[in-house]
Amino acid sequence: MTAAFTVLDRLPTPAEHRLLAEAVGWGDAFDGDTLPASLAGSTAGAVALDGDRVVGMGRLVGDGVKYFYVQDVAVLPDAQGSGVGTAIVRRLLELVAATAPATAFVGLFATGDAVPLYERHGFTRGDMDGMFRLVAPAGTRPPA
């Protein structure tokens, strides 16, 4: 990877998302059939390019007014440590600041290795515990 990369204000394509997710070990975390609609429901996105090669992505989900969540920040392994992740997170936060009419809540879930990246951008664990659960579509068995 060269030292120069460009961050564009756009969502990754489903193919780009799949490539990056698989590169960082998230291949089983996304359903290819629903990914296009999931991406389309995003508030904003940022994609990093090294020339014409996609090397990183991130997106925002939420109500687009008060609540935003940083989602799917992924950087190709050979581009990690080069500032791509930092540039993507910085751009997503700039997009929140440009969009939100008042102070916004920005949340995220991070892998252990990514915690320092987010802490550098002011994210803290605060006094809340992150929680989640999976909800299966009506009429199907819940995931084991």
Side-chain angles (χ1 to χ4, degrees), residues 29-70:
F30 299 96
D31 173 20
D33 292 338
T34 60
L35 184 59
S38 178
L39 291 171
S42 303
T43 304
V47 173
L49 299 175
D50 179 11
D52 61 356
R53 180 175 83 125
V54 63
V55 294
M57 68 174 175
R59 63 186 177 125
L60 294 169
V61 298
D63 66 14
V65 178
K66 178 70 177 174
Y67 298 99
F68 297 82
Y69 289 85
V70 174

Coordinates of all heavy atoms in Angstrom, one line a residue, residues 29-70:
A29 N -20.5 -13.0 9.2 CA -21.3 -12.0 9.9 C -22.4 -11.3 9.1 O -23.2 -10.7 9.7 CB -20.4 -11.0 10.6
F30 N -22.4 -11.5 7.8 CA -23.3 -10.8 7.0 C -24.0 -11.7 6.0 O -23.5 -12.7 5.5 CB -22.6 -9.7 6.1 CG -21.9 -8.7 7.0 CD1 -20.6 -8.8 7.3 CD2 -22.6 -7.6 7.5 CE1 -19.9 -7.9 8.1 CE2 -22.0 -6.7 8.3 CZ -20.6 -6.8 8.6
D31 N -25.3 -11.4 5.8 CA -26.1 -12.2 4.9 C -26.1 -11.5 3.5 O -26.6 -10.4 3.4 CB -27.5 -12.3 5.5 CG -28.6 -12.9 4.5 OD1 -28.2 -13.6 3.6 OD2 -29.8 -12.7 4.7
G32 N -25.6 -12.2 2.5 CA -25.5 -11.6 1.2 C -26.8 -11.2 0.6 O -26.8 -10.2 -0.2
D33 N -27.9 -11.9 0.9 CA -29.2 -11.5 0.4 C -29.7 -10.2 0.9 O -30.4 -9.5 0.2 CB -30.2 -12.7 0.6 CG -29.8 -14.0 -0.1 OD1 -29.1 -13.9 -1.2 OD2 -30.3 -15.0 0.3
T34 N -29.4 -9.9 2.2 CA -30.0 -8.7 2.8 C -29.0 -7.5 2.8 O -29.4 -6.4 3.1 CB -30.5 -9.0 4.2 OG1 -29.3 -9.4 5.0 CG2 -31.6 -10.0 4.2
L35 N -27.7 -7.8 2.4 CA -26.7 -6.8 2.5 C -27.0 -5.5 1.7 O -26.9 -4.4 2.1 CB -25.3 -7.3 2.1 CG -24.2 -6.3 2.3 CD1 -24.0 -5.8 3.7 CD2 -22.9 -7.0 1.8
P36 N -27.5 -5.7 0.4 CA -27.8 -4.4 -0.4 C -28.8 -3.5 0.3 O -28.7 -2.3 0.4 CB -28.3 -5.0 -1.7 CG -27.7 -6.3 -1.8 CD -27.6 -6.9 -0.4
A37 N -29.9 -4.1 0.9 CA -30.9 -3.3 1.6 C -30.3 -2.7 2.9 O -30.7 -1.6 3.2 CB -32.1 -4.2 1.9
S38 N -29.5 -3.5 3.6 CA -28.9 -3.0 4.8 C -28.0 -1.8 4.5 O -28.1 -0.7 5.1 CB -28.0 -4.1 5.4 OG -27.4 -3.6 6.6
L39 N -27.2 -1.9 3.4 CA -26.4 -0.7 3.0 C -27.2 0.5 2.6 O -26.9 1.6 3.0 CB -25.4 -1.1 1.9 CG -24.3 -2.1 2.3 CD1 -23.6 -2.6 1.0 CD2 -23.3 -1.5 3.2
A40 N -28.3 0.2 1.9 CA -29.2 1.3 1.4 C -29.8 2.0 2.6 O -30.1 3.2 2.5 CB -30.2 0.8 0.5
G41 N -30.0 1.3 3.7 CA -30.6 1.9 4.9 C -29.6 2.7 5.8 O -30.0 3.3 6.8
S42 N -28.4 2.8 5.3 CA -27.4 3.5 6.1 C -27.6 5.0 6.0 O -28.2 5.5 5.0 CB -26.0 3.2 5.6 OG -25.7 1.8 5.6
T43 N -27.1 5.7 7.0 CA -27.2 7.2 7.0 C -26.1 7.8 6.2 O -26.4 8.8 5.5 CB -27.1 7.7 8.5 OG1 -28.1 7.1 9.3 CG2 -27.2 9.2 8.6
A44 N -24.9 7.2 6.2 CA -23.8 7.8 5.4 C -22.7 6.7 5.4 O -22.8 5.7 6.1 CB -23.3 9.0 6.1
G45 N -21.7 6.9 4.6 CA -20.6 6.0 4.5 C -19.3 6.7 4.1 O -19.3 7.8 3.6
A46 N -18.2 6.0 4.3 CA -16.9 6.4 3.9 C -16.1 5.2 3.3 O -16.1 4.2 4.0 CB -16.2 7.1 5.0
V47 N -15.5 5.4 2.2 CA -14.7 4.3 1.6 C -13.4 4.9 1.3 O -13.2 6.0 0.7 CB -15.4 3.8 0.3 CG1 -14.5 2.8 -0.5 CG2 -16.8 3.2 0.6
A48 N -12.3 4.1 1.7 CA -10.9 4.5 1.4 C -10.4 3.7 0.2 O -10.6 2.5 0.1 CB -10.1 4.2 2.6
L49 N -9.8 4.5 -0.7 CA -9.2 3.9 -1.9 C -7.7 4.2 -1.9 O -7.3 5.3 -1.6 CB -9.8 4.5 -3.1 CG -11.3 4.3 -3.3 CD1 -11.8 5.1 -4.6 CD2 -11.7 2.8 -3.5
D50 N -7.0 3.2 -2.3 CA -5.5 3.3 -2.7 C -5.5 3.2 -4.2 O -5.6 2.0 -4.7 CB -4.7 2.3 -2.0 CG -3.2 2.4 -2.3 OD1 -2.8 3.4 -2.9 OD2 -2.5 1.5 -1.9
G51 N -5.4 4.3 -4.9 CA -5.6 4.2 -6.3 C -7.0 3.8 -6.6 O -8.0 4.5 -6.2
D52 N -7.2 2.7 -7.4 CA -8.6 2.3 -7.6 C -8.9 1.0 -6.8 O -10.0 0.4 -6.9 CB -8.8 2.0 -9.1 CG -7.9 0.9 -9.6 OD1 -7.0 0.4 -8.9 OD2 -8.0 0.5 -10.8
R53 N -8.1 0.7 -5.8 CA -8.3 -0.5 -4.9 C -9.0 0.0 -3.6 O -8.4 0.9 -2.9 CB -7.0 -1.2 -4.6 CG -7.1 -2.4 -3.8 CD -5.8 -3.1 -3.6 NE -5.0 -2.5 -2.6 CZ -4.4 -3.1 -1.5 NH1 -4.6 -4.4 -1.4 NH2 -3.7 -2.5 -0.7
V54 N -10.1 -0.6 -3.3 CA -10.7 -0.3 -2.0 C -9.9 -0.9 -0.9 O -9.6 -2.1 -1.0 CB -12.2 -0.8 -2.0 CG1 -12.4 -2.3 -2.1 CG2 -12.9 -0.3 -0.7
V55 N -9.6 -0.1 0.1 CA -8.8 -0.6 1.2 C -9.5 -0.5 2.6 O -9.0 -1.0 3.6 CB -7.4 0.1 1.3 CG1 -6.6 -0.3 0.0 CG2 -7.5 1.6 1.4
G56 N -10.6 0.2 2.6 CA -11.3 0.4 3.9 C -12.7 0.9 3.7 O -13.0 1.5 2.7
M57 N -13.5 0.7 4.7 CA -14.9 1.2 4.7 C -15.4 1.5 6.1 O -14.8 1.0 7.1 CB -15.8 0.2 4.0 CG -16.0 -1.1 4.9 SD -17.2 -2.2 4.2 CE -17.0 -3.6 5.3
G58 N -16.4 2.2 6.2 CA -17.2 2.4 7.4 C -18.5 3.1 7.0 O -18.6 3.7 6.0
R59 N -19.5 2.9 7.9 CA -20.7 3.5 7.6 C -21.4 3.9 8.9 O -21.0 3.5 10.0 CB -21.7 2.6 6.8 CG -22.1 1.3 7.5 CD -22.9 0.4 6.6 NE -23.2 -0.8 7.1 CZ -24.4 -1.3 7.2 NH1 -25.5 -0.6 6.8 NH2 -24.7 -2.5 7.8
L60 N -22.4 4.8 8.8 CA -23.2 5.3 9.9 C -24.6 4.7 9.7 O -25.2 4.7 8.6 CB -23.3 6.8 10.0 CG -22.0 7.5 10.3 CD1 -22.2 9.0 10.0 CD2 -21.6 7.3 11.7
V61 N -25.2 4.2 10.8 CA -26.6 3.9 10.8 C -27.3 4.6 12.0 O -26.6 5.1 12.9 CB -26.8 2.3 11.0 CG1 -26.2 1.6 9.8 CG2 -26.2 1.8 12.3
G62 N -28.6 4.7 12.0 CA -29.3 5.4 13.0 C -30.4 6.2 12.5 O -30.8 6.1 11.3
D63 N -30.9 7.2 13.3 CA -32.0 8.0 12.9 C -31.6 9.2 12.1 O -32.4 9.9 11.5 CB -32.9 8.4 14.1 CG -32.2 9.3 15.1 OD1 -31.1 9.9 14.8 OD2 -32.8 9.4 16.2
G64 N -30.3 9.5 12.0 CA -29.8 10.6 11.2 C -30.0 12.0 11.8 O -29.8 13.0 11.2
V65 N -30.5 12.0 13.1 CA -30.8 13.2 13.8 C -30.0 13.3 15.1 O -29.2 14.2 15.4 CB -32.3 13.4 14.0 CG1 -32.6 14.7 14.8 CG2 -33.0 13.4 12.7
K66 N -30.4 12.4 16.0 CA -29.8 12.4 17.3 C -28.9 11.2 17.6 O -28.0 11.3 18.3 CB -31.0 12.4 18.3 CG -30.6 12.3 19.8 CD -29.9 13.6 20.3 CE -29.6 13.6 21.7 NZ -28.8 14.7 22.2
Y67 N -29.3 10.0 17.0 CA -28.6 8.8 17.3 C -27.9 8.2 16.1 O -28.6 8.0 15.1 CB -29.6 7.7 17.9 CG -30.1 8.2 19.2 CD1 -31.4 8.8 19.3 CD2 -29.4 8.2 20.4 CE1 -31.9 9.3 20.5 CE2 -29.9 8.6 21.6 CZ -31.2 9.2 21.6 OH -31.7 9.7 22.8
F68 N -26.6 8.0 16.2 CA -25.8 7.4 15.2 C -25.0 6.3 15.7 O -24.5 6.3 16.9 CB -24.9 8.5 14.6 CG -25.5 9.7 14.0 CD1 -26.0 10.7 14.8 CD2 -25.7 9.8 12.6 CE1 -26.6 11.8 14.2 CE2 -26.3 10.9 12.0 CZ -26.7 11.9 12.8
Y69 N -24.8 5.3 14.9 CA -23.9 4.2 15.3 C -22.9 4.0 14.2 O -23.2 3.9 13.0 CB -24.7 2.9 15.5 CG -25.4 3.0 16.8 CD1 -26.7 3.6 16.8 CD2 -24.9 2.6 18.0 CE1 -27.4 3.7 18.0 CE2 -25.6 2.7 19.2 CZ -26.8 3.3 19.2 OH -27.5 3.5 20.4
V70 N -21.6 3.9 14.6 CA -20.5 3.6 13.6 C -20.6 2.1 13.4 O -20.6 1.3 14.4 CB -19.2 4.0 14.2 CG1 -18.0 3.6 13.3 CG2 -19.1 5.5 14.4

